[in-house]
Amino acid sequence: SDELTPLLHSVRNTDVLTIGFLLGTAVIVLVMRRPRAVYLVDYACFRPPNTHRVPSAGFVEHVQQVSHWTERSKRFLKRLYERSGLGEETCVPLVGHYIDPYKYSKFEDGREEAEMAVFSAIDELFSKTSIAPQAVDILVTNCSEFNPTPTFSDMIINRYKMRSDIHHVHLSSMGCSAGLISIELV
């Protein structure tokens, strides 16, 4: 303690202020550099019309009638459906109601169905939150099977007249993992 007393007397008030200022500045810089939190403000889900509903018995019957699938594939699909948690209210796209969907599907039908699902969910979300489309800074869209041009993010930006400087990304053909990647991007 006898050695510390002369040292403490030699420290001037300006030195204490300078050290305090530097520490305060360092704390402020660290707080400002921290990643900003992203919060879920609200969400909206698309509820398809009842014409898209496929009860489990209908799904199993449909799988049995597809001629180009092997018996092993049919058993796998039946087990997958039974264990997936899908119920009697499960809906599939209209093209999935056909025995040979590729024979009847058209790109325009896919775009029309996608627009119906995407735009109705976004309309509901903007209505629930009262957020203006121009207030959105980041838009991440994701579709694992349908990859139109223009992309979903471009279609949404154009329809809702969002700002030209919005940061947007469209993920496609990545399967289920794209949902987690989308969240990480945000």
Side-chain angles (χ1 to χ4, degrees):
S1 94
D2 291 334
E3 297 171 6
L4 267 170
T5 305
L7 181 64
L8 289 174
H9 287 296
S10 68
V11 175
R12 295 175 298 187
N13 288 342
T14 56
D15 292 339
V16 171
L17 287 175
T18 303
I19 291 171
F21 176 76
L22 290 175
L23 285 174
T25 303
V27 168
I28 290 172
V29 167
L30 286 174
V31 168
M32 291 179 69
R33 290 193 56 157
R34 240 184 18 202
R36 290 179 31 194
V38 176
Y39 298 98
L40 174 63
V41 176
D42 212 330
Y43 68 94
C45 295
F46 169 66
R47 175 95 174 143
N50 284 336
T51 54
H52 289 64
R53 191 174 65 80
V54 176
S56 55
F59 176 81
V60 171
E61 180 182 343
H62 185 100
V63 166
Q64 292 300 325
Q65 293 180 18
V66 177
S67 61
H68 62 272
W69 286 341
T70 66
E71 285 304 315
R72 183 176 180 207
S73 296
K74 293 176 185 180
R75 283 193 311 273
F76 172 75
L77 287 171
K78 184 179 177 191
R79 275 194 326 268
L80 180 71
Y81 188 87
E82 290 169 350
R83 296 176 184 175
S84 67
L86 300 174
E88 298 302 311
E89 298 294 316
T90 299
C91 295
V92 298
L94 285 180
V95 72
H97 292 255
Y98 296 113
I99 299 300
D100 187 3
Y102 303 109
K103 182 177 179 182
Y104 300 101
S105 66
K106 292 185 237 155
F107 184 80
E108 296 80 22
D109 295 337
R111 180 185 293 283
E112 184 178 306
E113 181 182 318
E115 287 177 354
M116 175 181 59
V118 171
F119 294 151
S120 68
I122 292 173
D123 288 345
E124 181 184 341
L125 188 61
F126 282 140
S127 173
K128 285 167 67 173
T129 61
S130 300
I131 294 174
Q134 295 74 23
V136 175
D137 296 321
I138 300 169
L139 175 64
V140 178
T141 58
N142 164 22
C143 185
S144 61
E145 291 188 26
F146 185 61
N147 190 17
T149 303
T151 65
F152 282 136
S153 61
D154 292 326
M155 291 166 37
I156 292 167
I157 290 168
N158 289 331
R159 177 174 174 124
Y160 294 98
K161 296 176 181 32
M162 294 177 160
R163 298 188 330 252
S164 61
D165 65 341
I166 188 172
H167 297 284
H168 64 100
V169 177
H170 174 70
L171 302 174
S172 63
S173 304
M174 297 178 75
C176 299
S177 64
L180 294 174
I181 294 168
S182 299
I183 292 169
E184 179 63 28
L185 281 171
V186 171

